[in-house]
Amino acid sequence: MRRPHWPRRVFAQLLLSQTVVTVGVTTVTAGLFLAPVSSELDRDAMQRALSIAQSTAADEAVARAADRRDAHAAQADAEQIRLATGASFVVITDLDGIRLSHTDPGRIGQRVSTDPEPALGGRSVTAIQQGTLGRTARGKVPLRLPDGRIVGEVSVGISDDSIRHRMSAMVAGILLCAGAGLAAGLVATLLLARRLKRRTHNIALADISALLVEREAMLHGIREGMVALDRHGRIRLANDEAARLLALPADFAGRPVDAVLPPGRLADVLTGRIEGADLPAVRDDRVLVVNRTATDVDGAVITLRDRTELEALVRELDTTRSLTEALRAQDHEHANRMHTVLGLLELGRHEQAVAFISEQSGSHAAVVARISEQVQDPHVAALLAGKAAVAAEHGVRLAVTPASHLPDAALDARTLVTVLGNLVDNAVDSLRHAPAAGRTVEITLLAAGSTLLLGVEDSGEGIPDALRERIFDEGWTSKEAPAHRPRGLGLAMVRRLVERTGGRIAVDRGPLGGARFTVELPEALHPAALRPAAPLEVAP
């Protein structure tokens, strides 16, 4: 025989347990109500019998009939009272306990079946007794004349059948109320269980625990950031990677997104004010790709991917492609130059050939030499040398202004290279469709104590006044985005990097006619490297 087992589904467990509890509570409550009903009804019947007996004994005519032992008068009065009150019997006795009245006239003249002495002794008595008419609730009182002399007793009885009839009516009412309460409880239990079934998708209780453990392991084990929001836009949970990427405070749970993130594109994407797939956003110096998916309970699940390293690799790839294109162009140009030299030699113009070779080989070397002389930081000098070569192949002259000077004292060369590289790339890109003549990008680097001032200016069309603040917004771009990377992040990242160091960035129209970006980076240079060298002491 198979043993019954506890159901595994949460719905079934709740329904069964709540049903058992509801039935048990209803049964106990009904029992508590019914337990004292019998004794209460008996007590009520005895008090009622006593009250009838006292009212009867107060009638002087009844007392005088008992004193005269006038059974006829006593029987008439007793029957009138019995019929008026609904009592089972009203018995009047004389001083010897002989009946002067009875429901059965044949018992008149006989002694009462129960002891009359307590009432004849002057005491009122209530009791449940067995008599000639069966089990009854009785009230007995002495019968007195106006002078106080006891001449008999009055015994009134309420039959047990009438008491049980009242009890049955009360029990039926109590059971009816209990049944209604039980039915209401079972309906409420069923509705609650069905609601819980929908909410838990009818999953077994053990599976819920396993799912919770697996969810925690999954959330904190994956390398992508995950954030869950409720219907009010509050953060329900976020895994470790999301807290790291978003730099969330320790008490982020239960707080709105706008309360834990600064205003900007990232907060707009997370809250759904900006919609789309694979939306780029910037948090400090990190480039994130955000996807937001709505849930069935009006919340949302957000995934975050860190594209910072990938973005750096893409930029390096773009630089490599530019250099490859430059090398291909230089190879083509070199072949043309070699053909020119060969032609001069075949024509016997050796001096002109030597001059041509000297002129061609010294032009790029001169540019690199000028950059190295003015920019002593090796990282920045290498960046500008490479950018100058790439710009030259696109017909753009990249130059460092004569007043520029940058010592080898940069505290954070990576930030400096990122800021300067982005600005130079944007300047060169802006000139690709400009007239070939006069394509120029000028770079200014100045050290003012520990503060670094840098400027990048081009001879393009410039930036309209209405767009000079908007160009720093994440995702805004005037260019067509390539397939391998999003656009509109460079200037936003530059602004974040500059502001994080306490600096500022501004854009206006420069003397060349195009856009001029000016950046101020306080505490960007090492003060010790800026001190002039101590003069040499010459021995006398």
Side-chain angles (χ1 to χ4, degrees), residues 464-512:
D465 295 344
L467 299 178
R468 289 181 182 176
E469 283 298 325
R470 192 178 174 191
I471 59 174
F472 294 105
D473 293 343
E474 299 168 31
W476 188 92
T477 180
S478 61
K479 307 167 188 176
E480 183 179 354
H484 63 278
R485 58 176 295 192
R487 285 282 192 179
L489 299 178
L491 286 177
M493 183 182 297
V494 167
R495 187 176 194 175
R496 293 287 180 90
L497 290 175
V498 171
E499 292 179 348
R500 192 177 64 176
T501 61
R504 61 187 182 88
I505 181 172
V507 59
D508 60 359
R509 187 175 295 276
L512 295 179

Side-chain angles (χ1 to χ4, degrees), residues 42-347:
D42 287 343
R43 186 161 43 250
D44 180 68
M46 288 187 293
Q47 288 297 323
R48 182 178 169 217
L50 181 63
S51 297
I52 296 172
Q54 290 173 342
S55 298
T56 303
D59 189 347
E60 183 178 348
V62 175
R64 292 192 183 279
D67 185 39
R68 296 193 309 269
R69 289 183 170 82
D70 186 352
H72 182 269
Q75 174 71 1
D77 292 339
E79 282 300 298
Q80 183 181 5
I81 295 172
R82 182 182 71 82
L83 295 174
T85 59
S88 297
F89 64 83
V90 177
V91 175
I92 301 172
T93 70
D94 61 11
L95 195 59
D96 298 325
I98 302 300
R99 298 186 185 98
L100 300 177
S101 68
H102 196 274
T103 306
D104 181 6
R107 296 183 182 274
I108 297 175
Q110 299 178 5
R111 184 177 174 83
V112 293
S113 59
T114 57
D115 185 13
E117 293 304 323
L120 295 176
R123 292 188 295 113
S124 298
V125 178
T126 58
I128 301 294
Q129 293 179 333
Q130 184 74 29
T132 57
L133 297 179
R135 185 176 182 273
T136 55
R138 303 189 180 195
K140 299 179 181 180
V141 296
L143 186 61
R144 301 174 187 270
L145 289 173
D147 59 4
R149 184 165 55 89
I150 297 175
V151 294
E153 74 162 347
V154 177
S155 175
V156 178
I158 306 295
S159 71
D160 186 71
D161 292 340
S162 63
I163 297 175
R164 297 306 162 205
H165 179 72
R166 289 185 61 196
M167 182 175 178
S168 299
M170 292 185 64
V171 169
I174 292 175
L175 292 179
L176 181 62
C177 293
L182 177 60
L186 292 177
V187 170
T189 299
L190 179 60
L191 294 177
L192 179 62
R194 291 183 62 183
R195 177 180 175 84
L196 185 62
K197 179 181 180 180
R198 290 194 301 268
R199 287 299 184 90
T200 60
H201 302 284
N202 201 25
I203 301 176
L205 191 61
D207 294 339
I208 292 179
S209 177
L211 285 174
L212 180 61
V213 173
E214 292 168 359
R215 187 199 71 168
E216 290 298 315
M218 184 183 301
L219 282 177
H220 299 289
I222 61 177
R223 296 302 303 272
E224 288 190 355
M226 294 191 67
V227 179
L229 304 180
D230 62 16
R231 65 178 62 190
H232 302 293
R234 294 188 295 257
I235 300 176
R236 293 183 57 192
L237 60 90
N239 65 352
D240 298 338
E241 184 67 6
R244 182 184 71 86
L245 295 177
L246 298 177
L248 296 177
D251 59 343
F252 66 83
R255 299 177 63 185
V257 172
D258 292 329
V260 297
L261 293 178
R265 177 180 173 85
L266 181 58
D268 292 340
V269 172
L270 263 62
T271 55
R273 292 190 288 265
I274 297 178
E275 298 180 351
D278 292 334
L279 296 175
V282 176
R283 175 62 165 158
D284 294 334
D285 59 343
R286 296 191 175 277
V287 179
L288 307 178
V289 175
V290 185
N291 282 284
R292 189 179 191 273
T293 303
T295 62
D296 295 337
V297 292
D298 298 331
V301 174
I302 299 164
T303 59
L304 306 164
R305 284 176 288 161
D306 188 359
R307 279 185 58 102
T308 305
E309 296 181 0
L310 181 59
E311 188 70 16
L313 292 175
V314 169
R315 289 183 178 276
E316 291 183 9
L317 176 61
D318 287 346
T319 303
T320 303
R321 286 179 175 175
S322 298
L323 290 174
T324 302
E325 293 176 2
L327 290 174
R328 186 180 297 111
Q330 286 184 357
D331 178 65
H332 180 70
E333 183 66 21
H334 179 69
N336 292 334
R337 292 168 182 171
M338 292 301 296
H339 291 154
T340 302
V341 172
L342 179 60
L344 291 174
L345 292 177
E346 289 178 348
L347 295 174

Side-chain angles (χ1 to χ4, degrees), residues 421-440:
N422 272 283
L423 295 179
V424 171
D425 287 342
N426 288 340
V428 174
D429 285 344
S430 69
L431 296 174
R432 290 197 175 187
H433 302 291
R439 294 182 182 179
T440 303

Side-chain angles (χ1 to χ4, degrees), residues 346-535:
E346 289 178 348
L347 295 174
R349 298 182 179 183
H350 301 93
E351 294 181 0
Q352 293 179 1
V354 172
F356 180 79
I357 294 173
S358 299
E359 178 185 355
Q360 296 300 322
S361 61
S363 58
H364 182 67
V367 173
V368 174
R370 284 196 301 272
I371 292 176
S372 300
E373 181 180 353
Q374 294 178 275
V375 181
Q376 298 174 2
D377 185 282
H379 302 90
V380 178
L383 172 71
L384 293 180
K387 297 294 184 184
V390 174
E393 296 305 324
H394 290 92
V396 177
R397 184 180 71 88
L398 189 147
V400 179
T401 59
S404 296
H405 178 69
L406 177 63
D408 186 9
L411 292 175
D412 188 358
R414 178 175 175 270
T415 298
L416 180 56
V417 167
T418 301
V419 171
L420 184 57
N422 272 283
L423 295 179
V424 171
D425 287 342
N426 288 340
V428 174
D429 285 344
S430 69
L431 296 174
R432 290 197 175 187
H433 302 291
R439 294 182 182 179
T440 303
V441 174
E442 287 189 351
I443 299 169
T444 302
L445 296 166
L446 296 174
S450 61
T451 299
L452 173 62
L453 301 174
L454 68 88
V456 177
E457 178 183 356
D458 63 68
S459 59
E461 297 179 354
I463 299 173
D465 295 344
L467 299 178
R468 289 181 182 176
E469 283 298 325
R470 192 178 174 191
I471 59 174
F472 294 105
D473 293 343
E474 299 168 31
W476 188 92
T477 180
S478 61
K479 307 167 188 176
E480 183 179 354
H484 63 278
R485 58 176 295 192
R487 285 282 192 179
L489 299 178
L491 286 177
M493 183 182 297
V494 167
R495 187 176 194 175
R496 293 287 180 90
L497 290 175
V498 171
E499 292 179 348
R500 192 177 64 176
T501 61
R504 61 187 182 88
I505 181 172
V507 59
D508 60 359
R509 187 175 295 276
L512 295 179
R516 177 175 62 182
F517 286 86
T518 304
V519 178
E520 178 182 349
L521 297 175
E523 307 299 330
L525 302 177
H526 201 293
L530 301 175
R531 296 183 187 139

